[in-house]
């Protein structure tokens, strides 16, 4: 028997024993608490000494506590060190405990009000980005793929709603002018979402 066949048999044996080694946690033998220990072994025959031994133990204390993980010890070859693997019990959505005020919504709304009429009332365009870097000179560079909102300004004013992931706390607002001048940049946050100049 070659090595590939030996590995295939060992893997198949491990999968079969793992698949049938579970249980639903019911103790139908009449005992309500305590511990039970079961052991099983399987061997494959052929050239060489390839024996797979599995020992597992389950501790259950009550029906309200989750079952303890099964400790499964594998020894695949004579003289090889034993490896412990822990199989966690199956859980369902009924086991999930969440605080009453927990929000499953991963987004946060933000209303941005802008008034740059003190700077310019000409044609301008607002872009808001969630990812950006700040340079040593105080200027910013936006990651253009992170644009979360945009708006044409009317006489230097406007308002736009931003919906973004709740992981973003600070945004970059850039006002672009159609005459080709450098954009006006400002950071905004949930605490300070107004841009006034």
């Amino acid at each position: 028997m070659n090595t590939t066949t030996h590995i295939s048999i060992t893997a198949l044996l491990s999968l079969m024993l793992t698949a049938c080694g579970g249980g639903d946690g019911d103790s139908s033998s009449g005992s309500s608490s305590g511990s039970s220990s079961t052991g099983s072994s399987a061997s494959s025959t052929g050239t060489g000494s390839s024996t797979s031994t599995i020992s597992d133990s389950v501790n259950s204390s009550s029906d309200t506590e989750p079952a303890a993980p099964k400790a499964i010890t594998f020894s695949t070859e004579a003289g090889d060190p034993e490896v412990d693997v822990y199989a966690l019990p199956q859980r369902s959505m009924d086991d999930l405990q969440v605080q009453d005020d927990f929000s499953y919504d991963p987004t946060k709304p933000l209303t941005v009000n802008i008034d740059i009429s003190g700077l310019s009332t000409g044609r301008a365009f607002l872009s808001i980005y969630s990812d950006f870097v700040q340079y040593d000179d105080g200027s910013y560079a936006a990651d253009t793929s992170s644009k979360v909102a945009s708006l044409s300004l009317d006489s230097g004013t406007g308002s736009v709603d931003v919906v973004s992931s709740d992981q973003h706390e600070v945004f970059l607002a850039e006002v672009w002018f159609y005459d080709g001048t450098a954009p006006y940049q400002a950071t905004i946050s949930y605490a300070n979402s107004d841009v006034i100049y």
Side-chain angles (χ1 to χ4, degrees), residues 5-17 52:
T5 306
H6 173 67
I7 291 173
S8 298
I9 289 173
T10 303
L12 181 61
L13 183 61
S14 298
L15 285 173
M16 288 183 353
L17 291 173
S52 296

Side-chain angles (χ1 to χ4, degrees), residues 8 46 94 97 125 169:
S8 298
D94 295 333
Q97 296 179 0
F125 190 79
E169 295 292 327

Side-chain angles (χ1 to χ4, degrees), residues 3-66:
T3 304
T4 305
T5 306
H6 173 67
I7 291 173
S8 298
I9 289 173
T10 303
L12 181 61
L13 183 61
S14 298
L15 285 173
M16 288 183 353
L17 291 173
T18 302
C20 65
D24 59 3
D26 290 342
S27 59
S28 58
S29 63
S31 63
S32 61
S33 66
S35 66
S36 63
S37 176
T38 60
S40 62
S41 66
S43 64
S44 62
T45 59
T47 60
S49 60
S50 59
T51 302
S52 296
T53 304
I54 298 177
S55 304
D56 60 353
S57 62
V58 179
N59 296 320
S60 61
S61 57
S62 72
D63 290 337
T64 59
E65 294 181 18

Side-chain angles (χ1 to χ4, degrees), residues 175-189:
V175 178
W176 291 87
F177 302 99
Y178 288 89
D179 61 4
T181 59
Y184 173 73
Q185 298 177 320
T187 57
I188 53 176
S189 65

